[in-house]
Amino acid sequence: MEAATIVDALGHAGYRLTTPRRALAELIAGRRGHFTADELLVESRRRRLGLTRATVFRSLDVLADLELVERLDLPSGEHAFVACHPSQQHHHHLVCSSCGRSTEVADDGFEAVAASIARSTGYRVDVHRLELFGLCPSCRASA
Amino acid sequence: MEAATIVDALGHAGYRLTTPRRALAELIAGRRGHFTADELLVESRRRRLGLTRATVFRSLDVLADLELVERLDLPSGEHAFVACHPSQQHHHHLVCSSCGRSTEVADDGFEAVAASIARSTGYRVDVHRLELFGLCPSCRASA
DNA sequence: ATTTTTGCAAACCTTTTGCATGGAA
DNA sequence: TTCCATGCAAAAGGTTTGCAAAAAT
């Protein structure tokens, strides 16, 4: 994910392009895998970008609304985020437990499963959350 | 879920059968849908069961280890738990957004999806979390 | 008698909020 | 110039912890 992509999307959505938001876009763009609000904050201090905790949270909130990042609940219970590509169809994330890198996975096959669950239970299924964790190819190789 | 089921499972796993644990088992047995640690605590105070906050959390932790309850992350971001049947095969929860009731869903069709995702990405998929939310039949009817 | 479990209260961590100031449009 | 966004610092949740006392085995 490039910083410019994030900045553009913010502008396009009518949000003001402030220095903190540009800085945060850079930070997120520099991340390979998932990250927490606190990690961004620490990194911003290291680089002297002057972001505030409140701003990090508020901005992540905006970015989540725009689907530029997605909230993850890691198996450890930690909350984290991953950058993801906007205006794309519904998808899920496959996260490497070792390096944290994440891959977007199409929802394809899963739609049918959800439909069949709806049919057999009588529920109307509105939302589903699917998160997959494992080892990415390169971490498998070095394991 | 019956309280005795929980108590038996605790005993079977070598945990001591204390008054607070029995009380908690009752509280959980009395729940229809999902619940938070705090809800159990409030209910325990109402019924004068004398449970402590720390004990509720510690016990839920044990029960989660034994897979007698499962942690949920609701779409709202809240953490909650649902009682579930132990020693059963891997399954997921379908939660009613209206009444909170939850249904266990077999993993069947999903296994194939996970396998195909592993194949196409090269990842080794170890863990997946799937949570479904919607309206249960009875809430659909009254909607 | 031994070991686990509990209560208590404080600590901890993450996330949110109010309000005055500063900056973008 | 108008309205949105930020900083600050405090509050708010939710969850965990240390330790001595109490209870289970």
Side-chain angles (χ1 to χ4, degrees), chain A residues 2-126:
Chain A
E2 295 190 30
T5 309
I6 298 176
V7 174
D8 288 353
L10 280 171
H12 201 266
Y15 290 95
R16 298 194 174 169
L17 302 180
T18 65
T19 306
R21 284 182 179 155
R22 289 177 197 278
L24 196 75
E26 287 295 339
L27 288 179
I28 292 176
R31 291 274 148 182
R32 294 248 175 95
H34 53 69
F35 50 85
T36 64
D38 193 61
E39 284 166 3
L40 294 182
L41 189 60
V42 167
E43 176 76 3
S44 109
R45 282 203 272 253
R46 201 180 61 70
R47 295 208 215 161
R48 311 261 137 81
L49 299 178
L51 283 174
T52 300
R53 189 183 308 280
T55 299
V56 171
F57 278 102
R58 286 191 276 231
S59 300
L60 283 172
D61 223 40
V62 168
L63 296 180
D65 278 351
L66 298 180
E67 301 190 302
L68 290 160
V69 301
E70 187 169 311
R71 289 173 209 279
L72 291 184
D73 297 289
L74 304 184
S76 67
E78 257 189 319
H79 285 176
F81 297 84
V82 277
C84 61
H85 297 91
S87 70
Q88 204 177 282
Q89 63 188 29
H90 185 62
H91 64 270
H92 300 289
H93 290 272
L94 171 50
V95 176
C96 178
S97 332
S98 173
C99 69
R101 214 159 305 187
S102 112
T103 299
E104 297 177 12
V105 168
D107 198 39
D108 293 357
F110 183 67
E111 302 263 289
V113 176
S116 121
I117 288 171
R119 212 176 309 117
S120 67
T121 60
Y123 273 61
R124 187 185 83 201
V125 178
D126 299 321

Side-chain angles (χ1 to χ4, degrees), chain B residues 47-69:
Chain B
R47 295 207 215 162
R48 310 264 138 77
L49 299 177
L51 284 173
T52 300
R53 189 184 308 282
T55 300
V56 171
F57 278 101
R58 286 191 277 231
S59 300
L60 283 172
D61 223 41
V62 169
L63 296 180
D65 279 350
L66 298 180
E67 300 190 303
L68 291 160
V69 301

